[in-house]
Amino acid sequence: MIRAKKSLGQNFLIDKNILEKIVNAADIENKTILEIGPGTGNLTSYILKRKPKKIFVIEKDNQLSNDLMKKFNNKISIINEDILKIDETRMFDNKVTVFGNLPYNISTEILNKWIINLKDNFWFECLVLMFQKEVADRIIAECNTSNYGRLSIISNWKLNIKKICDVKPEAFSPRPKINSSLLFFLPKKNFVKIKDPSNLEKITRIFFNQRRKMLKKPFNQLFNGDHRVLDKLKIKLTMRPQNVNLETYYKLACEYENLRG
């Protein structure tokens, strides 16, 4: 019997209805698929039934990688590596469809890495990813809500995101103590061009460092009180970070880059 490793954030998906919902979320037939954290291969089996062109799976756990090799033989290509240390942009000749029951302890780190490293030519067609529900709520949060913050702003920069469904703990083995959510990500055709994504990270970090305070202090820290930026983007210093919409944050990052030359 395979025991899930808490250190790797392993919770294996076993609910057949949820597995069906996942594979129904994207076009699989004759596509190149990348699955993150396949675990015992439950989702992998469902993907294979949909006749993909090729399946790559990334599994860090050595024992699980060996078990997957025995179970699927040459039907899948197994990459026994740490997802955080892989450069996906160099792995594939064509765009891939990505599925992932992401380890909860590094899910935001994985998503953040992908978005910050995204070039204008996306390496994937879409992402179908499972998150802890409270993380998913922050990803899809809208302006003027308590969940809206850095993760919402960075995630929605180049991607359109929608929730497919919430998932109860009993869909997994072992059962996590929290609910999960399945999200679908599709690349945007048009988005604000920011030269260095780290500037968006910096701006959101400084603005949300004290999310309940007004914008005056973080704005002055970043823009030296330049009122031309305020007027151009129609920002009031009495606003709070959660009152500034997505597009304005992206434009703020561009203004910050212009200021720095």
Side-chain angles (χ1 to χ4, degrees), residues 28 43-52 55 72 75-76:
I28 292 175
L43 179 59
T44 318
S45 297
Y46 275 72
I47 293 170
L48 276 168
K49 289 177 189 173
R50 301 301 174 97
K51 299 178 181 174
I55 300 182
F72 297 108
K75 292 178 183 175
I76 64 173

Side-chain angles (χ1 to χ4, degrees), residues 108-246:
T108 54
E109 206 175 340
I110 294 169
L111 184 62
N112 200 53
K113 177 194 112 167
W114 285 347
I115 292 168
I116 295 305
N117 291 340
L118 270 185
K119 308 299 181 212
D120 290 352
N121 53 333
F122 293 86
W123 58 271
F124 56 82
E125 285 192 1
C126 65
L127 311 171
V128 183
L129 305 174
M130 185 84 73
F131 293 91
Q132 189 173 334
K133 185 178 183 297
E134 71 171 64
V135 172
D137 287 345
R138 284 163 49 211
I139 290 170
I140 60 176
E142 295 185 355
C143 179
N144 294 316
T145 64
S146 59
N147 280 321
Y148 181 71
R150 296 188 67 208
L151 189 57
S152 330
I153 295 158
I154 291 169
S155 300
N156 285 272
W157 172 30
K158 293 186 176 182
L159 300 167
N160 287 313
I161 310 167
K162 70 174 183 181
K163 186 199 287 195
I164 297 171
C165 64
D166 290 326
V167 184
K168 299 285 186 188
E170 47 268 30
F172 300 90
S173 176
R175 291 185 183 187
K177 293 177 181 176
I178 42 80
N179 288 330
S180 306
S181 295
L182 187 64
L183 300 183
F184 180 81
F185 300 75
L186 195 66
K188 288 181 178 177
K189 290 179 180 173
N190 298 303
F191 50 85
V192 176
K193 300 292 191 288
I194 300 168
K195 292 173 193 166
D196 184 354
S198 67
N199 287 320
L200 181 59
E201 284 190 299
K202 180 177 181 178
I203 281 187
T204 54
R205 185 180 70 250
I206 290 172
F207 269 76
F208 281 91
N209 193 33
Q210 293 181 299
R211 62 179 298 136
R212 298 194 191 331
K213 299 284 180 76
M214 289 189 286
L215 297 182
K216 186 175 181 179
K217 186 177 177 182
F219 181 83
N220 288 342
Q221 182 182 339
L222 288 161
F223 295 97
N224 301 318
D226 191 336
H227 278 259
R228 289 173 299 177
V229 175
L230 292 174
D231 295 339
K232 186 176 180 181
L233 301 183
K234 296 180 174 56
I235 297 171
K236 292 185 174 67
L237 292 181
T238 52
M239 297 166 78
R240 287 173 171 75
Q242 70 191 47
N243 305 134
V244 180
N245 65 30
L246 295 169

